[in-house]
């Protein structure tokens, strides 16, 4: 392995309609949550579904595609990289967030 890469691939369903932001220069940003599910059997043999939620951000053409074609519940494949950042609330509390910056988007299903 010559180099390590920051790469994430997720298949899941949108938890909400994309939230769109248009920047001053006209470029677009789409933000949405993505749910991924893992199903397994616990020690008692019962089927258990573990749902993980991921924050997704998409810029430019991918954001425009998200705006026009994605809605809550749609199944998609996301490829991108993990990005971490921090911000301060109005109360001065520091918060940390991890997001997936979407580089590729594939819509599944109908």
């Amino acid at each position: 392995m010559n180099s390590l890469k920051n790469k994430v691939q997720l298949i899941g369903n949108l938890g909400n309609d994309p939230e769109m932001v248009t920047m001053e220069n006209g470029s677009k940003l789409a933000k949405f949550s993505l749910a991924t599910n893992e199903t397994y059997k616990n020690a008692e043999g019962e089927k258990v579904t573990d749902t993980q939620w991921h924050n997704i951000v998409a810029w430019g053409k991918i954001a425009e595609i998200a705006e026009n074609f994605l809605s809550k519940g749609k199944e998609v494949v996301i490829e991108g990289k993990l990005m971490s950042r921090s911000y301060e609330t109005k109360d001065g509390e520091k918060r940390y967030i991890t997001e997936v910056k979407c580089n590729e988007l594939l819509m599944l299903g109908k």
Side-chain angles (χ1 to χ4, degrees):
M1 200 172 355
N2 292 335
S3 65
L4 299 175
K5 296 196 184 275
N6 178 357
K7 184 175 180 180
V8 176
Q9 293 178 324
L10 300 169
I11 300 174
N13 298 87
L14 268 71
N16 56 322
D17 290 342
E19 176 189 332
M20 299 303 300
V21 178
T22 302
M23 301 299 173
E24 289 180 12
N25 65 4
S27 66
K28 292 195 175 189
L29 165 65
K31 299 180 191 179
F32 54 92
S33 60
L34 187 75
T36 56
N37 296 313
E38 180 181 357
T39 305
Y40 61 92
K41 289 189 178 182
N42 63 14
E44 291 78 37
E46 300 166 323
K47 184 178 172 181
V48 177
T49 301
D50 179 34
T51 302
Q52 296 291 316
W53 288 93
H54 313 276
N55 296 313
I56 312 296
V57 294
W59 291 89
K61 284 286 188 198
I62 296 174
E64 291 175 21
I65 291 168
E67 178 180 31
N68 294 322
F69 297 103
L70 297 185
S71 59
K72 181 178 180 175
K74 288 274 191 182
E75 187 176 24
V76 296
V77 178
I78 298 290
E79 185 172 295
K81 64 180 184 174
L82 285 178
M83 306 286 287
S84 296
R85 61 184 174 88
S86 64
Y87 63 94
E88 205 168 289
T89 65
K90 293 176 184 176
D91 301 329
E93 189 178 340
K94 194 161 191 172
R95 298 269 173 100
Y96 298 90
I97 189 167
T98 299
E99 301 166 317
V100 176
K101 181 182 178 215
C102 180
N103 297 326
E104 291 190 40
L105 169 69
L106 176 65
M107 293 173 278
L108 300 176
K110 295 180 180 179

